[in-house]
Amino acid sequence: MLRITIRPHWELVPERENAVDTTGLLVLLAAVQDTGSLAQAARSVGWSYRHAWGQVKQAEALFGRPLIDAGRGRGSTLTEVGLKLIWADRRIAARLSPLLESLASELEGELERTLVLEDARAVLRLDASHGFAVAALVEQLEAGGTTVELRYRNSLESVAALARGECDLAGFHVPSGELETPALARYLRWLKPAEHRLLHLAHRTQGLFVARGNPKRIRSLADLARADVRFVNRPEGSGTRVLTELLLARQGLSPQQVAGYDDTELTHAAVAAYIASGMADAGIGVQTAATRFGLHFIPLLRERYFLALPAAALGRPQLQPALALMQSPALRAAIAALAGYDARDTGRLLSLREAFELPG
């Protein structure tokens, strides 16, 4: 099978001059941040010190400001401009990577169908939001030779697509506890107890992301109403947006009281990158994203992530690898290794009535 990879790429374009490719420079700056030494950073990326120094000086001439503070005897650190470049790149990757991965997956499926490969396997169509457990599942499926056509859609879009027959599996998540019933009601428009089954993928923790060290001393959702706190939200239709609405209502807060409520980022990682780069003070997401971006995390609740599927499809060939993998120790270990995730029920096949104790 053909594999397609699409990655974000950006350039600096000075007025009336040639564009400057940032790829190598950003790798070098990230290495300086990690090692605290330009010489070590140059070695780690396979450059000579002279070449690395030249790349830095070229970029500094472009900005008119230093990118690296190379104090004698105390190593090298990034200046504010250097750090902004690093965070700009991480924000771009966090925001665009899910969309590009989804497009690449669709293109792979189109090419395979067009080429009519003799050994073409049944394609598993998965619609889900960009989550860390979903990524682990897809990675292991593809490593085992399963062709996955992945479309990143929010939870409401995913279950609606399943109801229309546009995918084989649809990801969605529901908070545990008192918010379960109102959150589930959004999905029962499309999910029917007689027609659908659920595969339990993971338990996970959602909470508040705040900057490293929590400089604004944010303690709870009530602090989102403060004038000095800027929030970054998830888009309409996402499961976390639904969760945010319910949490604010329980707190007695309206969206109008939250500065930045209408500012959105597509994924948990993009929210984390936005906050880590200083663009906002708080957001809501899964603990894994906070950990990966070095943020302070304030747990709010646990939730369950499911993959919905038609009950009549359980015997279809394209679903068998996923059903088998969901029971495997390898997938459970990968999910359990994610910060804030729990794999104790991974692979359980449930009816909606069993999962949510629905009447009837």
Side-chain angles (χ1 to χ4, degrees), residues 21-347:
D21 186 347
T22 63
T23 304
L25 175 66
L26 290 167
V27 172
L28 179 68
L29 292 178
V32 170
Q33 186 180 38
D34 291 339
T35 65
S37 164
L38 179 59
Q40 289 185 44
R43 286 194 294 270
S44 71
V45 300
W47 288 359
S48 69
Y49 181 83
R50 181 177 180 180
H51 179 67
W53 184 249
Q55 291 294 303
V56 171
K57 285 303 171 185
Q58 181 185 9
E60 288 181 342
L62 176 64
F63 287 105
R65 295 185 182 182
L67 302 182
I68 295 177
D69 180 9
R72 188 181 296 274
R74 55 184 174 85
S76 300
T77 58
L78 299 184
T79 65
E80 183 179 357
V81 177
L83 287 170
K84 285 294 183 184
L85 287 175
I86 291 292
W87 282 114
D89 188 57
R90 291 177 181 173
R91 282 180 53 217
I92 289 169
R95 180 179 291 179
L96 295 182
S97 290
L99 299 175
L100 297 180
E101 289 170 15
S102 181
L103 177 58
S105 181
E106 291 181 32
L107 291 174
E108 287 169 5
E110 291 174 13
L111 281 174
E112 185 161 349
R113 287 189 290 272
T114 301
L115 295 171
V116 194
L117 299 179
E118 292 182 1
D119 63 344
R121 303 175 180 86
V123 175
L124 175 65
R125 301 171 302 163
L126 170 59
D127 284 15
S129 58
H130 187 264
F132 297 97
V134 170
L137 172 66
V138 172
E139 180 180 351
Q140 292 196 17
L141 281 170
E142 292 183 336
T146 300
T147 301
V148 181
E149 188 170 301
L150 174 63
R151 289 186 299 182
Y152 284 119
R153 285 178 156 172
N154 65 47
S155 292
L156 292 175
E157 290 173 337
S158 295
V159 295
L162 183 73
R164 296 192 297 266
E166 297 174 3
C167 62
D168 303 303
L169 293 171
F172 72 104
H173 49 101
V174 178
S176 301
E178 64 182 279
L179 297 183
E180 178 181 276
T181 298
L184 179 64
R186 313 279 185 107
Y187 302 114
L188 291 181
R189 175 181 173 186
W190 296 282
L191 296 177
K192 307 300 178 185
E195 299 175 20
H196 296 103
R197 296 293 180 268
L198 304 179
L199 276 168
H200 194 290
L201 182 60
H203 297 269
R204 65 185 192 179
T205 303
Q206 290 250 37
L208 277 171
F209 297 169
V210 300
R212 186 195 301 268
N214 196 5
K216 292 287 182 77
R217 299 293 182 263
I218 295 168
R219 304 298 182 195
S220 69
L221 285 171
D223 290 311
L224 299 184
R226 285 166 37 190
D228 66 329
V229 173
R230 297 165 299 165
F231 186 69
V232 58
N233 209 345
R234 294 289 302 285
E236 285 279 359
S238 71
T240 300
R241 176 68 168 252
V242 170
L243 174 63
T244 300
E245 293 169 359
L246 294 171
L247 286 170
L248 290 179
R250 186 175 68 175
Q251 188 70 36
L253 295 176
S254 69
Q256 292 74 27
Q257 292 175 272
V258 180
Y261 188 85
D262 293 326
D263 297 334
T264 63
E265 288 288 340
L266 185 63
T267 67
H268 297 277
V271 168
Y274 199 81
I275 294 167
S277 63
M279 303 293 290
D281 302 304
I284 292 176
V286 295
Q287 186 175 350
T288 311
T291 299
R292 293 189 178 182
F293 283 86
L295 300 176
H296 183 71
F297 182 75
I298 303 169
L300 293 174
L301 53 75
R302 298 283 282 174
E303 64 178 8
R304 293 181 291 169
Y305 196 108
F306 295 101
L307 298 175
L309 67 157
L314 284 168
R316 292 177 187 169
Q318 64 266 37
L319 280 169
Q320 300 317 301
L323 293 171
L325 181 61
M326 293 278 282
Q327 301 289 337
S328 73
L331 180 63
R332 288 176 177 168
I335 292 174
L338 298 169
Y341 276 76
D342 184 335
R344 67 180 182 272
D345 290 320
T346 298

